[in-house]
Amino acid sequence: MMYGRVSLLDTKKREKQYEELFKLLDIIEKASPEQKEVYDAIYKKKLDLLTKEFDLWIGRTSAELNKRIEEHLKRKENAQ
């Protein structure tokens, strides 16, 4: 989805990813100690990936917004 020239985060995809994380937490809660270790590692990897994707998105969005602000200020300065 686009807002102007800045893309918005795919919220439906993220909601699905968070649902998967919550399901994993339920599984971890009910798992045996040996299984908990495996599921915990999977949970941490998925959460880490989700966090990295968000960090990348916020970085791109911030850079795009900063660029647009600078362009606007230059146009305003040139118009005066």
Side-chain angles (χ1 to χ4, degrees), residues 31-46:
S32 68
E34 298 84 24
Q35 290 174 323
K36 282 184 182 187
E37 192 174 311
V38 173
Y39 285 120
D40 189 49
I42 293 169
Y43 176 84
K44 286 178 182 176
K45 283 185 179 184
K46 286 184 177 243

Side-chain angles (χ1 to χ4, degrees), residues 1-49:
M1 183 183 295
M2 297 291 284
Y3 180 77
R5 293 184 306 184
V6 179
S7 65
L8 296 177
L9 190 62
D10 185 352
T11 54
K12 290 184 189 246
K13 176 185 172 189
R14 289 189 66 78
E15 285 175 5
K16 183 178 177 184
Q17 290 172 323
Y18 280 116
E19 284 177 22
E20 289 176 10
L21 288 176
F22 287 125
K23 286 179 185 177
L24 268 173
L25 287 175
D26 287 339
I27 291 170
I28 291 169
E29 190 175 282
K30 298 172 186 173
S32 68
E34 298 84 24
Q35 290 174 323
K36 282 184 182 187
E37 192 174 311
V38 173
Y39 285 120
D40 189 49
I42 293 169
Y43 176 84
K44 286 178 182 176
K45 283 185 179 184
K46 286 184 177 243
L47 183 61
D48 186 48
L49 179 61

Side-chain angles (χ1 to χ4, degrees), residues 41-73:
I42 293 169
Y43 176 84
K44 286 178 182 176
K45 283 185 179 184
K46 286 184 177 243
L47 183 61
D48 186 48
L49 179 61
L50 199 59
T51 304
K52 285 179 182 177
E53 287 175 354
F54 182 76
D55 290 345
L56 289 171
W57 172 82
I58 200 75
R60 286 190 310 263
T61 301
S62 179
E64 179 65 25
L65 289 173
N66 287 338
K67 181 180 173 185
R68 290 176 67 188
I69 290 168
E70 288 176 17
E71 289 171 355
H72 176 75
L73 291 173

